[in-house]
């Protein structure tokens, strides 16, 4: 309290002492220790009753109460924050009370204290304890924690099985919506174990819903608390347990049935044939799940569980038929698997079908044609300019050697236009070369096909174009100078004489040349 407030209080108490009648006090009672504010009572709004020392009240005219032994008739001065706000008199039953006539202000803290004087000297102050309250707006003084909220249900909106569920349910929804009830308008805080994961405000009817961020696979224990407008926090709700089980995306299936007997070995196609009576099976399933391998035997027309395997961490499993587990003649055998994971999920694979045949009777017919061969280059070994030629070149070699690649050991047939002009067998590395018979002068469009050992024929290769141009061997010369004047006519010898001033000349040169 400030000095001015103390002075004001002291002045009031001194005046009261000079007008008091100390003879009404009982001898033997130490009033210096018995003067006391016992309680302050709120009788307004939702929360009523005794306001705790240091508590809240929305009653702006709360009642102060106390008991003063043998104090009947004694006047008591009442102060708030160091200023007198009134006085009261101890009643016949030695109890006293005081209600301010002027309302207090909301939103302030008040320190209440009462005084009486020392009857021995008439001026010593005997103060009570200090009793502090803070005023609030209407109904904002709840000093009682709200009831614990309740989580009533979860909701799954993922996967094949959806809808509301109760505590203890297993769900594949990693963000299950929680719903419940709490004090109307309270702030509901939701916990997963000890971790606060979010909050929501309860509606006017107390109902609330909350959707958490994605939760991990496994058990989650959700609880909630409610905080009212006055900051009072409830006890935690009961546990709402949700077991999240995310289905493994790894399909349950047989991926390979492997033949390791006879000439034809390796993967058997689904629906294919095999001469291996005990093939090796591999496939996929949920990691860690137990895989049971089943077989239908066409000979006995019965189904058997052959055995089991455990899928590895990467979702793979394998199983080798052994002992008396064999394929039988008589039709198509079927294999399939069933799986069971650690959380109880089951799955069944599609069938994988194979038919047992005699030894080495499972060699499939080759019906796949080889890739089209390629003519990569040609070679000119005639004339003054020799060497490799590319498609589109002009050459004086009428038998240019063609080079290319095809399926290893296939028969390469070479065409000039549409005419088959010969064939050659590709080597084990696929390389081949071919020299045609002499080609006529002009353009030639060479192509090739490849025929494998099963008789499958490839598409034609791309065109390889060469233009053959033979050098003309006719000599350029004057063969005759002819005289057709006078007595002596006819050919004039080279170096001879003539009287024909305009002889006729003939000779030879490359065809078509000027």
């Amino acid at each position: 309290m400030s000095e001015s407030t103390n002075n004001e209080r002291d002045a009031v108490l001194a005046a009261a002492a000079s007008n008091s009648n100390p003879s009404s006090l009982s001898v033997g009672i130490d009033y210096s220790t018995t003067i006391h504010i016992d309680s302050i009572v709120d009788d307004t709004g939702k929360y009523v009753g005794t306001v705790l020392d240091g508590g809240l009240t929305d009653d702006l005219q709360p009642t102060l109460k106390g008991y003063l032994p043998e104090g009947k008739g004694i006047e008591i001065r009442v102060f708030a924050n160091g200023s007198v706000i009134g006085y009261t008199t101890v009643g016949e039953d030695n109890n006293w009370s005081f209600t301010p006539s002027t309302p207090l202000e909301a939103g302030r803290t008040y320190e209440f204290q009462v005084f009486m004087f020392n009857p021995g000297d008439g001026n010593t102050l005997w103060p009570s304890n200090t009793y502090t309250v803070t005023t609030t707006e209407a109904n904002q003084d709840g000093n009682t924690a709200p009831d614990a909220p309740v989580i009533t249900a979860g909701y799954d909106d993922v996967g094949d099985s959806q809808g509301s569920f109760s505590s203890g349910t297993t769900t594949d929804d990693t963000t299950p919506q929680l719903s419940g009830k709490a004090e109307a308008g309270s702030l509901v805080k939701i916990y997963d174990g000890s971790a606060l994961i979010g909050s929501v405000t309860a509606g006017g009817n107390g109902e609330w819903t909350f959707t958490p961020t994605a939760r991990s696979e496994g058990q989650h224990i959700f609880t909630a608390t409610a905080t009212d407008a006055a900051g009072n926090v409830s006890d935690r709700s009961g546990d709402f347990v949700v077991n999240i089980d995310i289905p493994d995306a790894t399909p349950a299936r047989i991926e390979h049935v492997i033949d390791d007997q006879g000439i034809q070995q390796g993967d058997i196609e689904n629906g294919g044939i095999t001469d291996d009576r005990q093939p090796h099976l591999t496939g996929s399933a949920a990691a860690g799940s137990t895989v049971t391998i089943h077989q239908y035997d066409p000979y006995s027309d019965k189904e058997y569980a052959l055995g089991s395997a455990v899928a590895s961490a990467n979702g793979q499993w394998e199983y080798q038929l052994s002992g008396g587990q064999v394929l039988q003649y008589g039709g198509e055998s079927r294999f399939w698997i069933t799986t069971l994971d650690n959380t109880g999920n089951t799955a069944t694979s599609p069938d994988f079908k194979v038919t047992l045949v005699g030894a080495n009777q499972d060699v499939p017919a080759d019906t796949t044609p080889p890739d089209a061969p390629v003519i990569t280059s040609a070679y000119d070994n005639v004339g003054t300019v020799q060497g490799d030629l590319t498609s589109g070149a002009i050459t004086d070699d009428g038998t240019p050697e063609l080079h290319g690649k095809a399926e290893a050991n296939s028969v390469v047939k070479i065409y000039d236009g549409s005419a088959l002009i010969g064939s050659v067998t590709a080597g084990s590395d696929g390389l081949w070369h071919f020299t045609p018979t002499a080609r006529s002068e002009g353009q030639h469009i060479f192509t090739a096909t490849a025929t494998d050992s099963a008789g499958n024929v490839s598409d034609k290769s791309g065109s390889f174009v060469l233009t053959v141009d033979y050098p003309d061997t006719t000599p350029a010369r004057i063969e005759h100078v002819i005289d057709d004047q006078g007595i002596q006519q006819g050919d004039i010898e080279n170096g001879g004489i003539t009287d024909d001033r305009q002889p006729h000349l003939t000779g030879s040169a490359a065809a078509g040349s000027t």
Side-chain angles (χ1 to χ4, degrees), residues 194-449:
S194 61
L196 175 64
I197 59 172
S199 63
V200 64
T201 300
N205 59 0
E207 294 182 352
W208 58 268
T209 60
F210 174 80
T211 301
T213 55
R215 302 289 94 190
S216 60
E217 196 167 32
Q219 186 182 78
H220 295 265
I221 301 175
F222 296 105
T223 56
T225 61
T227 304
D228 64 18
N232 300 303
V233 181
S234 74
D235 292 334
R236 284 209 183 190
S237 68
D239 294 345
F240 191 92
V241 180
V242 178
N243 298 303
I244 295 178
D245 179 22
I246 303 171
D248 196 303
T250 305
R253 64 185 180 188
I254 300 171
E255 295 175 337
H256 303 281
V257 177
I258 302 168
D259 177 329
D260 60 4
Q261 298 294 318
I263 296 173
Q264 178 67 29
Q265 297 187 16
D267 277 1
I268 306 166
E269 291 184 358
N270 193 351
I273 58 176
T274 180
D275 62 351
D276 187 348
R277 301 190 69 187
Q278 292 182 314
H280 186 74
L281 281 65
T282 68
S284 60
S289 61
T290 299
V291 179
T292 302
I293 296 88
H294 303 264
Q295 178 193 2
Y296 165 74
D297 180 0
Y299 182 79
S300 64
D301 193 28
K302 292 182 179 180
E303 296 179 354
Y304 302 95
L306 299 179
S308 63
V310 176
S312 64
N314 62 357
Q316 298 298 303
W317 60 269
E318 59 180 303
Y319 185 83
Q320 173 67 59
L321 272 68
S322 61
Q325 299 172 351
V326 294
L327 297 181
Q328 299 282 1
Y329 297 108
E332 193 173 61
S333 295
R334 289 187 291 112
F335 293 104
W336 71 97
I337 63 169
T338 57
T339 65
L340 175 66
D341 69 17
N342 296 329
T343 54
N345 296 311
T346 61
T348 301
S349 76
D351 290 346
F352 197 106
K353 302 173 183 179
V354 296
T355 299
L356 181 67
V357 296
N360 297 323
Q361 298 301 306
D362 58 343
V363 179
D366 182 2
T367 59
T368 304
D371 293 336
V374 179
I375 303 174
T376 56
S377 65
Y379 190 81
D380 177 331
N381 65 354
V382 170
T384 55
V385 179
Q386 299 184 15
D388 288 330
L389 303 172
T390 59
S391 181
I394 297 174
T395 178
D396 60 353
D397 187 347
T399 58
E401 184 179 67
L402 303 176
H403 294 229
K405 290 199 73 172
E407 182 176 293
N409 304 312
S410 63
V411 175
V412 181
K413 295 180 179 180
I414 295 89
Y415 295 81
D416 184 353
S418 60
L420 176 65
I421 61 173
S423 63
V424 65
T425 300
S428 60
D429 56 1
L431 298 177
W432 59 267
H433 54 85
F434 173 80
T435 301
T437 56
R439 301 290 93 193
S440 62
E441 195 167 38
Q443 186 184 75
H444 295 266
I445 301 174
F446 297 104
T447 56
T449 62

Side-chain angles (χ1 to χ4, degrees), residues 139-190:
N139 298 321
Q140 299 300 307
D141 59 338
N143 291 306
T144 303
D147 292 336
V150 179
I151 303 175
T152 55
Y155 190 84
D156 176 329
D157 62 359
V158 171
D160 296 330
S161 180
Q162 300 185 16
S164 295
F165 60 83
S166 57
S167 179
T169 297
T170 298
T171 176
D172 59 354
D173 188 347
T174 60
T175 58
Q177 184 187 70
L178 304 175
S179 58
K181 296 202 71 174
E183 181 175 293
S186 64
L187 181 67
V188 180
K189 295 181 179 179
I190 295 88

